[in-house]
Amino acid sequence: MPVRYPERVQLARLPTPLVRLQRLERELGGGPIWMKRDDLTGLELSGNKVRKLEYIIAEVLAGGFDTLITEGTPQSNHCRATAAACAKTGLHAHLLLRPPPGAAPPQGNHLLNTLFGAEMHTCSRELMNAERDRIVADAIHREAQQGRKARFTPMGASEPLGCWGYLRAAAELADQLHAAGIERCDVLTAVSSGGTHAGLVLGKLVHHLDHLRIHAVPVSDDTPFHRASVGKLCRAAIEEFAMPAVFRDSELSFIDGYVGGGYAVPYQAALDAIRLLARTEAIVLDPVYTAKAFCALIDGVRNGRFGRDCPVVFIHTGGIFSDFAWPELLAGQA
């Protein structure tokens, strides 16, 4: 039975390219290594978030809302993509940022939030964690006082509706692999809020893509946390949309050990990964998500876990603008 997708507003340039990283293969002495360039989805390089936002924005417009509220850090790729998507579709973006960005001039994603015209409010990370429901409710109320009707989407648009973005992406990747003559492969992606990973797993189940072995690399929290949160998201999406799929916890594969000092805290191996890929392939990772996950690919190729019996595909989820928040680190001056 054909899968019935919800309505979406087309914002991304799809399909994104699937490219082979042959110079990196020679550098690492292993492979084949491929990359799904979801950093090139368009909408000012909005990365993986725009795939999910296509469905969220469609529901916002259909429901008569004129404002989309979300949350994240000042360098959040998701907040920046939400601000861009709202600007493109004529919606008001309201961003709840934690922690406050500090007194320095805005840069990276935070600068783009300003250029896209987003309204921003800040609070401490601790307050957001303790009182998220109240803070969101207050934001919706403030918008109502301004005559606006607001909908909230969580970090990363990682809600059941947002999962459809990567459910569709899994089918897109499968078509590209078939065209490239790849019969089976390992697929790696970063995981934090969970919507991208959940969507890929659901796509594998719904489209019967048993030849894909999907692995997620936590860049925040740890494997038990993500196993619980991604599993909950998969089950909620299946129930809400009556998806023709049966989810089991065994569908989830994580590669732990790459969080470092915490979410959005760069470390040396991740910075080295950024420089290595830039030098060999002219492709830029970011120190928050993709560089940490790419460390797992590098280690896996070097130790023979990946690229030995089948190709490995890395899903580049974007984030280039956050590089500009750490210029000294990336330039090797700190």
Side-chain angles (χ1 to χ4, degrees):
M1 184 171 65
V3 178
R4 293 188 61 185
Y5 286 83
E7 293 297 318
R8 72 189 242 264
V9 173
Q10 189 168 346
L11 298 171
R13 293 205 267 303
L14 304 176
T16 56
L18 178 68
V19 299
R20 186 167 176 180
L21 308 182
Q22 292 179 303
R23 280 178 47 78
L24 181 67
E25 291 173 10
R26 291 194 291 270
E27 185 82 13
L28 298 180
I33 305 171
W34 293 74
M35 178 176 281
K36 175 72 166 158
R37 296 292 307 272
D38 266 19
D39 56 319
L40 302 179
T41 50
L43 201 66
E44 297 309 319
L45 302 177
S46 285
N48 63 325
K49 312 303 182 185
V50 68
R51 286 189 185 264
K52 296 182 270 186
L53 285 166
E54 287 188 328
Y55 293 93
I56 305 300
I57 295 287
E59 184 173 277
V60 168
L61 295 172
F65 298 92
D66 54 19
T67 299
L68 184 57
I69 301 174
T70 196
E71 62 164 309
T73 67
Q75 289 302 325
S76 164
N77 296 317
H78 165 64
C79 284
R80 183 254 305 147
T82 299
C86 286
K88 181 70 174 177
T89 55
L91 297 170
H92 178 65
H94 186 153
L95 310 179
L96 305 174
L97 304 180
R98 42 63 179 160
Q107 54 190 326
N109 286 321
H110 188 213
L111 173 60
L112 292 177
N113 292 338
T114 302
L115 291 175
F116 292 139
E119 178 182 354
M120 291 174 273
H121 289 91
T122 66
C123 66
S124 69
R125 193 183 306 274
E126 293 76 17
L127 182 61
M128 177 62 80
N129 290 340
E131 301 186 39
R132 177 174 282 99
D133 290 346
R134 179 191 64 78
I135 291 170
V136 171
D138 286 349
I140 292 173
H141 179 67
R142 284 198 301 271
E143 294 297 341
Q145 289 181 316
Q146 299 296 317
R148 291 191 284 257
K149 182 181 179 183
R151 182 197 190 281
F152 174 73
T153 191
M155 290 181 293
S158 293
E159 56 174 286
L161 181 59
C163 289
W164 285 96
Y166 271 85
L167 197 149
R168 180 184 291 272
E172 178 182 303
L173 174 60
D175 288 342
Q176 292 174 313
L177 292 171
H178 178 74
I182 298 172
E183 296 181 354
R184 60 192 180 94
C185 69
D186 290 291
V187 179
L188 267 67
T189 186
V191 61
S192 182
S193 61
T196 297
H197 185 202
L200 289 171
V201 170
L202 291 169
K204 175 181 176 178
L205 294 174
V206 168
H207 295 296
H208 308 290
L209 307 177
D210 296 333
H211 56 299
L212 304 184
R213 297 186 300 204
I214 299 169
H215 313 276
V217 183
V219 299
S220 65
D221 305 290
D222 56 17
T223 288
F225 173 88
H226 290 294
R227 187 173 298 280
S229 63
V230 175
K232 180 180 179 181
L233 187 53
C234 286
R235 291 185 178 92
I238 289 171
E239 180 178 359
E240 182 171 334
F241 295 100
M243 292 182 183
V246 177
F247 171 80
R248 299 179 179 85
D249 286 337
S250 59
E251 299 290 342
L252 302 180
S253 172
F254 296 96
I255 305 173
D256 220 339
Y258 295 92
V259 175
Y263 177 73
V265 179
Y267 56 81
Q268 189 59 51
L271 299 175
D272 291 343
I274 292 173
R275 297 186 188 109
L276 173 63
L277 188 63
R279 175 171 54 82
T280 57
E281 300 287 350
I283 297 173
V284 182
L285 302 169
D286 80 288
V288 178
Y289 294 93
T290 54
K292 292 183 178 183
F294 206 72
C295 286
L297 181 142
I298 291 170
D299 289 347
V301 170
R302 283 174 170 161
N303 64 30
R305 177 175 183 176
F306 297 124
R308 178 171 293 177
D309 64 338
C310 66
V312 59
V313 177
F314 184 81
I315 298 183
H316 188 336
T317 51
I320 188 173
F321 295 115
S322 62
D323 285 337
F324 297 98
W326 286 281
E328 294 87 359
L329 284 177
L330 290 172
Q333 299 173 358

